[in-house]
Amino acid sequence: MAFYYEEPSRTFNEYLLVPGHTPASCIPAKVDLKTPLVRYRKGQEECPISLNIPMVSAIMAAVSDDHMAVALATEGGISFIYGNQTIESEAAMVARVKAYKAGFVVSDTNLSPDTTLEEVVALKEQTGHSTMPVTDNGQAGGKLLGIVTERDYRLSRMSLDTKVSEFMTPRENLVVATEGTSLKEANDIIWDHKLNSLPIVDANDNLCYLVFRQDYDTHKENPLELLDNEKRYLVGAGINSRDYAERVPALVEAGADVLCIDSSEGYSDWQKMTIEWVREHYGNDVKIGAGNVVDREGFRFLAEAGADFIKVGIGGGSICITRETKGIGRGQATATIEVAKARDEYFEETGIYVPICSDGGIVYDHHISLALAMGADFVMLGRYFARFDESPSAKVMVNGTYMKEYWGEGSARARNWGRYDLGGKKSLSFEEGVDSYVPYAGSLKDNIAVTLLKIKSTMCNCGALTIPEFRDKAKLTTVSSTSIVEGGAHDVLLKDKTPYASRVR
Ligand code: IMP
């Protein structure tokens, strides 16, 4: 006979935190959001990789490319570069993040002398980059021939078919530095010559990096940035349970710091086989997360298989229709609470702490606080990050409002059927995600600052200065449908009719 859970499974919206005592010493400026990313013997050793903020970006083509990875690592979190692309292009994205090296950017928007003004304008629109190097082969690493910035062309006066070679600032007029120049030296050159960017070339005049004035400043301003021992940004990468024998070596070679199996349902032999393959070839040197699961048994299975962290959540994602198409899933709050208990039991038994990630369904900033209080070590977000300048998706005007495109990995648009592994060849498939728009929200930096302040304020209201303390002290209550009404603005005539949810998330 089928097993029935006595309680309905619940979502974040059905919970609130009841505040505790706040000592005068407990202020947001003192809150430390550091949290473990991968398994370790808690109490006996340091976690090999920790995050400085408990947020990671989703393994999705609309969310996590190398630009997002740099922006998020700058703030203290990590991105998982999407796996639904060729092995070469995923590895190249990882390599670009690692090559970014505290201000040294490998340009991914390169022009050739024959590129037209029209193509330059389109590229600028698409990538948001206004500084584009010109190389002989139109690629990073080619011989540097010049640079194009907005100051080099005037659309009102020039024909769109003008070739780059006719209006670029040519190599002989450029200030460049050679490979081996330190960031400090590069910055001095930038200031001395009043430049916005400085190309770094090798002995053969091939372009290696660009150093931007603002990047150096940003570097100094970001105390939480997530760096490896060589001061390179940390980056994660998504893999699947099919081509891991080829994909994993390429990603490891490119410098990925952590991998994650991207699948809608992780309680499967395919995930176990993938983890075992990694252990067989790399021992514990390569870190690998797995998932997604929604109950105790799923967690146990993946923890025993050796997963370094485990993602929780099926069907809660904003673009997800898994529950409608397959009837599987569980309310995200209930799933997080149960899996957190399983993690703690596993730790009691083995001394090994396997961090869990609540993945999907974060709508309001306070949902992150709830997930942490319920036991998540960190959260994965797709919709949240898709709204920012740094996400790879297009910014478009819809009915007079700027939107960003956002689509599920299981949508017909992504055709990422590899994450729905049931073995064998795929002959038939069906959608588990939709294609959508989300309101454009500006820069990641500005938004994340507000989100983190809200989380820290909530933690202080509960008397907590760290995530483990928050979890211990948190008092959670379920809400009734009428108290949800009471929780919003009510019985007043609103001046701004836009619902709060559309103004702020
Ligand atoms: P969001 O933050 O609510 O937008 O959820 C993002 C999460 O949804 C991702 O991290 C995935 O776990 C999940 N997801 C991504 N694409 C799909 C899909 O097409 N169908 C179902 N779930 C998806």
Side-chain angles (χ1 to χ4, degrees):
M1 199 178 121
F3 177 79
Y4 289 93
Y5 288 90
E6 294 298 324
E7 291 288 320
S9 69
R10 296 189 184 278
T11 64
F12 292 130
N13 264 342
E14 293 173 82
Y15 286 90
L16 282 177
L17 281 152
V18 177
H21 170 241
T22 308
S25 57
C26 195
I27 55 170
K30 289 198 185 158
V31 172
D32 181 356
L33 291 174
K34 192 168 174 184
T35 191
L37 176 66
V38 294
R39 68 161 61 207
Y40 69 116
R41 292 191 170 274
K42 192 162 94 169
Q44 296 174 43
E45 62 180 8
E46 276 275 303
C47 179
I49 310 179
S50 293
L51 301 171
N52 290 331
I53 61 168
M55 295 166 78
V56 307
S57 70
I59 314 169
M60 299 174 74
V63 180
S64 298
D65 68 350
D66 44 323
H67 299 286
M68 177 60 70
V70 168
L72 183 51
T74 306
E75 302 306 319
I78 200 167
S79 290
F80 286 87
I81 305 278
Y82 65 97
N84 187 27
Q85 56 180 325
T86 63
I87 294 174
E88 294 72 34
S89 82
E90 187 181 10
M93 284 191 181
V94 168
R96 281 204 291 275
V97 180
K98 297 313 282 186
Y100 196 91
K101 205 169 182 178
F104 289 89
V105 180
V106 178
S107 172
D108 64 354
T109 316
N110 301 287
L111 310 174
S112 77
D114 291 336
T115 312
T116 62
L117 177 57
E118 185 171 17
E119 289 165 325
V120 170
V121 174
L123 267 175
K124 179 172 173 285
E125 184 71 8
Q126 197 188 321
T127 63
H129 301 158
S130 48
T131 301
M132 304 180 199
V134 185
T135 56
D136 57 351
N137 59 5
Q139 312 211 338
K143 196 176 266 303
L144 183 66
L145 301 180
I147 276 207
V148 169
T149 70
E150 280 162 313
R151 280 186 278 174
D152 293 313
Y153 54 86
R154 271 178 92 177
L155 290 175
S156 56
R157 300 224 175 149
M158 287 165 62
S159 152
L160 283 175
D161 56 16
T162 315
K163 296 224 160 93
V164 155
S165 54
E166 294 171 41
F167 63 88
M168 68 185 181
T169 304
R171 167 70 182 86
E172 57 269 26
N173 295 352
L174 290 176
V175 179
V176 303
T178 47
E179 223 178 353
T181 304
S182 73
L183 194 57
K184 161 108 185 41
E185 289 160 350
N187 193 49
D188 288 344
I189 300 172
I190 285 174
W191 279 93
D192 290 348
H193 293 82
K194 298 190 173 40
L195 306 172
N196 280 325
S197 68
L198 176 72
I200 309 282
V201 293
D202 67 13
N204 299 319
D205 222 28
N206 294 323
L207 176 67
C208 306
Y209 305 105
L210 290 177
V211 176
F212 291 93
R213 178 204 297 252
Q214 80 226 32
D215 284 331
Y216 186 74
D217 293 344
T218 329
H219 181 58
K220 284 194 295 189
E221 275 166 23
N222 296 296
L224 292 182
E225 60 189 355
L226 204 59
L227 303 173
D228 65 16
N229 293 338
E230 294 169 45
K231 299 239 177 302
R232 301 176 304 179
Y233 286 121
L234 291 194
V235 61
I239 62 168
N240 61 66
S241 51
R242 289 167 172 262
D243 65 9
Y244 49 82
E246 293 86 45
R247 194 172 289 268
V248 170
L251 295 172
V252 171
E253 174 70 26
D257 296 283
V258 54
L259 307 174
C260 184
I261 311 173
D262 177 31
S263 172
S264 71
E265 208 283 304
Y267 187 1
S268 76
D269 283 345
W270 290 284
Q271 297 235 341
K272 188 166 185 270
M273 281 159 11
T274 309
I275 299 168
E276 282 170 356
W277 187 91
V278 167
R279 292 289 170 253
E280 192 189 317
H281 291 82
Y282 297 96
N284 291 327
D285 291 344
V286 168
K287 306 295 178 196
I288 174 168
N292 286 8
V293 299
V294 287
D295 66 1
R296 189 181 172 283
E297 291 78 14
F299 172 87
R300 268 272 148 172
F301 179 81
L302 291 178
E304 282 167 3
D308 281 297
F309 67 87
I310 292 171
K311 287 206 289 132
V312 183
I314 295 178
S318 57
I319 32 52
C320 175
I321 51 169
T322 297
R323 294 185 198 166
E324 284 168 331
T325 51
K326 293 206 299 205
I328 63 160
R330 200 171 196 195
Q332 189 62 19
T334 303
T336 303
I337 293 168
E338 185 172 316
V339 176
K341 277 192 198 136
R343 175 206 51 209
D344 293 344
E345 279 167 23
Y346 189 75
F347 172 63
E348 287 302 316
E349 279 172 38
T350 63
I352 297 170
Y353 188 87
V354 182
I356 61 164
C357 165
S358 176
D359 174 18
I362 299 285
V363 179
Y364 300 104
D365 289 334
H366 81 260
H367 288 167
I368 303 177
S369 307
L370 286 169
L372 297 174
M374 288 168 181
D377 294 282
F378 55 98
V379 295
M380 178 173 269
L381 308 103
R383 189 198 59 82
Y384 177 88
F385 287 113
R387 299 169 307 147
F388 303 151
D389 290 319
E390 292 81 356
S391 79
S393 70
K395 180 176 156 193
V396 288
M397 182 74 90
V398 182
N399 299 331
T401 310
Y402 274 121
M403 297 278 176
K404 293 274 283 188
E405 292 191 319
Y406 180 46
W407 61 95
E409 285 298 302
S411 66
R413 176 167 179 175
R415 306 193 64 77
N416 185 0
W417 310 130
R419 66 195 296 277
Y420 303 97
D421 208 342
L422 292 172
K425 280 216 170 102
K426 285 254 168 320
S427 49
L428 281 175
S429 54
F430 55 88
E431 294 161 38
E432 291 195 31
V434 298
D435 192 0
S436 71
Y437 296 117
V438 287
Y440 166 67
S443 81
L444 178 144
K445 191 175 194 59
D446 293 348
N447 281 277
I448 222 167
V450 177
T451 300
L452 293 175
L453 181 61
K454 286 189 203 165
I455 297 169
K456 289 175 181 178
S457 305
T458 307
M459 287 171 64
C460 288
N461 294 152
C462 297
L465 287 172
T466 65
I467 292 173
E469 195 181 2
F470 183 38
R471 208 181 281 160
D472 284 348
K473 291 189 170 167
K475 293 180 286 184
L476 288 149
T477 178
T478 48
V479 293
S480 67
S481 48
T482 48
S483 75
I484 292 176
V485 176
E486 184 188 60
H490 61 93
D491 300 299
V492 292
L493 201 58
L494 286 177
K495 292 185 181 171
D496 181 352
K497 296 252 171 33
T498 329
Y500 175 74
S502 310
R503 280 182 274 137
V504 185
R505 283 297 190 187

